Amino acid sequence: MQRRAGHPPGLRKFLWGVATSAFQMEGSSRCDWTHWSVRDEADRKARLNGVGHLARTEEDLALLTDLGVDAYRFSVEWSRVVPRRGDWDRREMDRYVRIASLLREAGIEPVVTLHHFTNPSWLVGRAGWEDPATAEEFLRYAERAVRCLRDAVRVFITFNEPNVFVAAGYLGGVMPPGRRCARDGFDAFANVFRAHAAVYDMIHSRGRERAAVGVAHNMVSFQPASRNSALDGWAVKIAHSFYNMGLIETFRTGTFSVRVPFLMDEETPVGVRDKLDFLGVNYYFRMFLRMSPLKLKGPEYFWEDRDGRGLTETGWEIYPKGLEDVLRSASLSGVPIVVTENGTAETDDARKIAYMKEHLRAMHRVIREGVDIRGYFWWSLMDNYEWLEGLRPRFGLYRVDFETLERRPTAASSYFARWVRRRKARDDASRSRTA
Ligand code: IFM
């Protein structure tokens, strides 16, 4: 059963929110993704300007009030505020501080991610996360950013999906730095943990009651391609323990270890034991694994429409029960959980609403079991730049016309607003009954 970890600041009441990241919304000409292979002109433009959020910040923040959400998760783009090693762009940082203050004034809890996939380009070629120097640079940036933000911000996320950017950047080679080297990947992850520990201590140096610090962890519901295959079952066990539980175990024990037969058997202390006030869970899909005895390098992974809900525009299977499964696994962390991302790429609003409804119901089932969940954030406020897939997938509650950059509400934004309104009214009523 989950240990109740008190009420971290900013998470005392359930937060209904939406999430974005700086690079996906506003781009940056100063980060590693700008140098990553570009598919076409639209892709290049989106990496420089995102979906024009910089010029429309206030207009976009007003959408949050229309939605009636309690919270907004956004990130600070490291490469904007530190354009060159040792420099600090005060105007860029002031913009993020202003966003946080505007949100606070509007009664919306700002939830700030300090690292969401991107590194400044001045780090490229000098060091990646496999080098401890990157963690030191990150701490220098985070210290200043937190100092600027802390009057308005009570909830910080140090890293978004470290398991994704390390696996994709150092094993799959499909995200910067585009390597395929498990040894570097191990060191990169260890340094991310060490950087988290340092930022956690720094944020709490003025007292624990001021802020809550977490990570946003990507979790997948892994299933064997064939229920009758012992090898597939074995691959699922390894994938679950490494991809889903590795981070949770590391926060529990303070030691990062990877034990994947034929690949790696390593461990190292990283100093993060108990340095987590909440665990963010990003959940999107179930994934099938097939292990062939002839392919010792790793299992084949794929999505398949096994329950008849169809695949999303990113080719992912819609599997609401997976959210229940990963939330139960996440509860083993012993800290409160926040669903920091859940969403789907669909141009068809009815399908987007069906996904939303089923996942929200799944989350409520887990809450009723007694798992301590303190918030739910839909990914994303509006259509934006989707990393490896460019502008094609439509994750937004608001539809963006990429020519005119006009934002348009959708049936899904109205549905979410109604859901939030009803839930908040229900929670308020039950609070006043028990008061
Ligand atoms: O768009 C991404 C986000 O940046 C991180 N989590 C998954 C989302 C959808 O792929």
Side-chain angles (χ1 to χ4, degrees):
M1 192 45 175
Q2 195 174 5
R3 163 168 66 91
R4 293 254 162 191
H7 291 284
L11 299 174
R12 300 218 158 100
K13 67 169 193 158
F14 193 92
L15 295 181
W16 289 102
V18 288
T20 62
S21 86
F23 186 70
Q24 291 173 276
M25 293 287 283
E26 64 196 31
S28 165
S29 58
R30 300 164 169 178
C31 89
D32 51 356
W33 274 85
T34 324
H35 307 282
W36 194 241
S37 55
V38 173
R39 129 203 26 235
D40 55 26
E41 185 51 19
D43 199 32
R44 194 187 64 81
K45 266 172 101 183
R47 290 187 195 186
L48 294 175
N49 303 311
V51 290
H53 179 55
L54 222 50
R56 293 167 183 74
T57 304
E58 298 203 4
E59 181 191 318
D60 289 346
L61 296 185
L63 302 177
L64 301 169
T65 313
D66 297 347
L67 285 172
V69 290
D70 306 297
Y72 177 50
R73 177 180 166 216
F74 66 100
S75 71
V76 175
E77 174 54 44
W78 181 7
S79 69
R80 279 190 179 275
V81 297
V82 187
R84 280 167 299 274
R85 182 156 186 256
D87 273 8
W88 186 255
D89 192 325
R90 197 157 156 208
R91 270 189 50 213
E92 292 281 2
M93 190 64 222
D94 282 351
R95 218 190 110 254
Y96 295 114
V97 174
R98 191 169 142 65
I99 293 178
S101 313
L102 286 172
L103 292 169
R104 181 90 24 254
E105 275 163 32
I108 296 172
E109 189 73 45
V111 174
V112 173
T113 312
L114 294 167
H115 183 277
H116 193 121
F117 288 173
T118 52
N119 294 329
S121 46
W122 52 262
L123 269 178
V124 178
R126 221 177 65 84
W129 278 101
E130 71 283 6
D131 185 334
T134 297
E136 283 159 28
E137 294 290 357
F138 180 73
L139 177 61
R140 263 193 283 283
Y141 140 73
E143 256 168 356
R144 263 184 106 160
V146 168
R147 213 180 310 135
C148 296
L149 288 163
R150 68 177 153 210
D151 286 342
V153 179
R154 297 187 292 182
V155 186
F156 288 99
I157 292 171
T158 51
F159 288 93
N160 180 70
E161 298 180 345
N163 54 349
V164 171
F165 77 80
V166 171
Y170 291 87
L171 295 180
V174 293
M175 275 186 172
R179 307 247 182 92
R180 282 174 190 271
C181 174
R183 175 76 251 168
D184 282 357
F186 181 86
D187 291 344
F189 218 150
N191 288 327
V192 166
F193 280 120
R194 294 189 181 107
H196 170 92
V199 174
Y200 184 93
D201 289 343
M202 177 268 291
I203 293 177
H204 284 318
S205 60
R206 293 208 315 172
R208 300 184 66 85
E209 67 293 342
R210 301 178 74 98
V213 184
V215 289
H217 179 38
N218 184 278
M219 295 185 82
V220 168
S221 173
F222 293 106
Q223 306 274 327
S226 160
R227 291 202 174 279
N228 304 322
S229 158
L231 268 183
D232 293 357
W234 177 76
V236 164
K237 234 170 118 180
I238 303 271
H240 176 68
S241 75
F242 168 62
Y243 190 87
N244 289 334
M245 301 310 290
L247 177 138
I248 293 171
E249 252 327 270
T250 308
F251 277 106
R252 224 179 44 77
T253 60
T255 297
F256 175 53
S257 64
V258 178
R259 300 198 196 296
V260 180
F262 311 111
L263 185 69
M264 181 168 270
D265 188 351
E266 289 274 346
E267 66 171 51
T268 183
V270 286
V272 287
R273 186 161 175 202
D274 290 335
K275 292 189 176 167
L276 194 66
D277 302 324
F278 69 94
L279 178 67
V281 171
N282 295 359
Y283 171 77
Y284 289 89
F285 51 71
R286 150 165 89 172
M287 180 183 268
F288 294 102
L289 301 183
R290 180 178 293 124
M291 189 73 198
S292 140
L294 302 174
K295 267 200 179 172
L296 287 181
K297 278 193 106 179
E300 177 198 347
Y301 63 87
F302 60 93
W303 298 273
E304 201 165 71
D305 178 22
R306 294 222 176 158
D307 293 348
R309 291 183 177 85
L311 300 178
T312 72
E313 285 169 4
T314 38
W316 300 343
E317 191 201 15
I318 301 168
Y319 187 61
K321 172 155 185 314
L323 178 59
E324 295 180 40
D325 298 340
V326 300
L327 288 173
R328 286 187 200 109
S329 299
S331 73
L332 299 174
S333 64
V335 293
I337 296 165
V338 175
V339 178
T340 34
E341 286 181 30
N342 177 229
T344 183
E346 302 281 1
T347 7
D348 179 335
D349 281 340
R351 286 179 55 76
K352 196 172 267 177
I353 290 171
Y355 179 102
M356 186 186 285
K357 196 193 295 182
E358 288 200 274
H359 283 77
L360 287 168
R361 286 186 177 155
M363 176 185 70
H364 282 293
R365 280 195 287 279
V366 182
I367 293 177
R368 282 198 296 275
E369 283 169 18
V371 174
D372 186 7
I373 301 176
R374 305 278 174 95
Y376 175 94
F377 289 70
W378 178 261
W379 183 272
S380 182
L381 169 63
M382 66 183 67
D383 300 332
N384 54 41
Y385 180 72
E386 176 58 22
W387 309 108
L388 301 173
E389 311 239 14
L391 292 171
R392 191 184 55 81
R394 302 285 188 160
F395 279 94
L397 289 181
Y398 286 81
R399 177 68 38 80
V400 176
D401 176 328
F402 294 127
E403 289 299 312
T404 63
L405 296 178
E406 185 204 346
R407 283 82 161 117
R408 199 167 43 73
T410 62
S413 59
S414 314
Y415 184 86
F416 191 61
R418 267 202 310 281
W419 182 285
V420 168
R421 204 170 44 241
R422 275 202 223 117
R423 275 283 154 182
K424 281 180 17 176
R426 203 181 295 182
D427 290 351
D428 287 348
S430 80
R431 255 197 305 274
S432 56
R433 269 200 306 278
T434 50

